[in-house]
Amino acid sequence: MKIVNAVWEKRNLGVDCNEITISPDDSLETIKDEISKYETEYTVVKIPTGNIEALFLFQKLGYCFIETLTVCYHTGEDFNLNKIQKRILEKITYHKMNNDDIDHLFKEIKQGMFQTDRISMDPYFSTVQANQRYIYWINDELDRGSQLYKISYNCKDIGFFALKKLTDTEYFAFLSGNYLEYLSSGLGFCAFYCEVTEAKRQGAKRVVGSYSSNNRGTTAILLSIGHILRMQYYVFVKHN
C-alpha cells in the first residue's frame, strides 16, 4: 500500500486525510491488518480496476464507492478530428492567462463550472468547499511553476487549461474546462486539443491527464480524439 498524507486537505476541506493506493501485490490479509492504522477523518482509497476482492473488502469495511478514475495520455500524433471540429479549431486561439484572466476563471469556478469530481458529489462537503478547493489547487500549482492558459473562440473566452511539467518530455494536463456559458456548446474538445498542442510545442512527447467516470462527457471526448488508457482505479471514500 502507498500512503500519502494529504495535508493540503486540512486547509481545503477542514479534515485530516490520507490517500491510500492499493498495490496489486497487497494481499487481503495485509490490507485487513494494516488499513485501520491509516484511516483518518476522511480516507480515500484507490484500487486498481479488476481487483474485485479488494473492492468487496472495502465495502465491508464501510467505504463508499464514489468514482472510477482513469489516467490516460496523448502523444499529439493523431487527434481523430472530424470536419466540424477542424473548422471550429480554425477559430480557436489560446494564450497564457494574466491576473484578470485568473480572476475570471476563479469567478467561474465559484459559480459551479466543476460538478462531477469526488468532492463536489460527496454530501459530506459543501459546494463552497468543493469550489474553493479548486482555487487552492490552482494557486498551489502556479506557485510550483505550472501555467494557465485561456481559450478563445471567435475572440470570446470559452474556457481554460492548465499544464504542469513533469519531465522534459512529459507534461501533466492537470485541469481544464469550459466556462459555464459554453458547457453544452460542443466545444469541450478544444481544451484537450490545445493542452496537448501547447505541451508538444514545449517539447513534450506525452501529455498525461485523468478524468472521473462521473464525467461522461469528458470520457467520450478523450476517447474520441485519441487518448490512450494508462491506468484505472476504483475510488472509495470513508468519513470517520
Side-chain angles (χ1 to χ4, degrees), residues 42-125:
Y42 173 56
T43 309
V44 181
V45 174
K46 298 176 183 178
I47 305 168
T49 53
N51 190 341
I52 303 302
E53 290 183 334
L55 183 152
F56 279 108
L57 171 63
F58 278 97
Q59 288 179 324
K60 291 179 181 178
L61 294 174
Y63 285 78
C64 295
F65 174 80
I66 199 160
E67 67 181 358
T68 297
L69 180 67
T70 297
V71 180
C72 59
Y73 67 91
H74 204 295
T75 62
E77 296 302 320
D78 186 4
F79 287 97
N80 302 323
L81 300 173
N82 60 42
K83 292 180 180 180
I84 295 175
Q85 290 172 323
K86 289 178 181 178
R87 285 201 296 269
I88 289 172
L89 288 175
E90 292 174 358
K91 301 178 181 179
I92 290 288
T93 59
Y94 65 86
H95 302 279
K96 283 186 180 180
M97 285 190 171
N98 59 32
N99 289 335
D100 288 341
D101 297 325
I102 294 174
D103 287 342
H104 178 64
L105 167 60
F106 289 170
K107 181 180 178 181
E108 291 280 339
I109 291 174
K110 289 177 180 178
Q111 291 177 343
M113 67 178 289
F114 294 116
Q115 300 179 4
T116 59
D117 62 276
R118 61 178 166 84
I119 304 299
S120 298
M121 302 192 77
D122 192 326
Y124 281 83
F125 301 119

Side-chain angles (χ1 to χ4, degrees), residues 15-212:
V15 294
D16 293 320
C17 175
N18 275 344
E19 295 187 0
I20 302 169
T21 302
I22 302 302
S23 165
D25 298 328
D26 293 329
S27 68
L28 288 185
E29 291 304 316
T30 297
I31 296 172
K32 289 178 185 177
D33 292 341
E34 299 290 328
I35 195 66
S36 62
K37 300 177 183 178
Y38 304 110
E39 291 184 339
T40 51
E41 290 180 81
Y42 173 56
T43 309
V44 181
V45 174
K46 298 176 183 178
I47 305 168
T49 53
N51 190 341
I52 303 302
E53 290 183 334
L55 183 152
F56 279 108
L57 171 63
F58 278 97
Q59 288 179 324
K60 291 179 181 178
L61 294 174
Y63 285 78
C64 295
F65 174 80
I66 199 160
E67 67 181 358
T68 297
L69 180 67
T70 297
V71 180
C72 59
Y73 67 91
H74 204 295
T75 62
E77 296 302 320
D78 186 4
F79 287 97
N80 302 323
L81 300 173
N82 60 42
K83 292 180 180 180
I84 295 175
Q85 290 172 323
K86 289 178 181 178
R87 285 201 296 269
I88 289 172
L89 288 175
E90 292 174 358
K91 301 178 181 179
I92 290 288
T93 59
Y94 65 86
H95 302 279
K96 283 186 180 180
M97 285 190 171
N98 59 32
N99 289 335
D100 288 341
D101 297 325
I102 294 174
D103 287 342
H104 178 64
L105 167 60
F106 289 170
K107 181 180 178 181
E108 291 280 339
I109 291 174
K110 289 177 180 178
Q111 291 177 343
M113 67 178 289
F114 294 116
Q115 300 179 4
T116 59
D117 62 276
R118 61 178 166 84
I119 304 299
S120 298
M121 302 192 77
D122 192 326
Y124 281 83
F125 301 119
S126 69
T127 299
V128 172
Q129 285 176 301
N131 293 340
Q132 185 61 47
R133 181 174 179 267
Y134 277 108
I135 294 172
Y136 282 136
W137 180 18
I138 291 170
N139 279 328
D140 286 345
E141 290 297 340
L142 288 175
D143 288 342
R144 298 184 187 109
S146 298
Q147 296 289 337
L148 288 176
Y149 299 82
K150 67 175 181 179
I151 304 169
S152 303
Y153 176 68
N154 277 337
C155 299
K156 294 182 179 179
D157 295 345
I158 64 167
F160 82 104
F161 66 92
L163 284 177
K164 178 177 182 177
K165 184 177 180 179
L166 301 178
T167 69
D168 286 342
T169 59
E170 186 169 78
Y171 280 56
F172 179 33
F174 67 88
L175 194 61
S176 64
N178 277 11
Y179 294 148
L180 289 164
E181 183 181 353
Y182 299 95
L183 287 179
S184 301
S185 63
L187 300 173
F189 76 98
C190 297
F192 302 119
Y193 174 87
C194 290
E195 66 193 19
V196 174
T197 299
E198 174 58 23
K200 189 175 181 182
R201 188 192 67 81
Q202 295 184 30
K205 294 184 178 179
R206 180 174 292 186
V207 184
V208 180
S210 63
Y211 61 90
S212 170

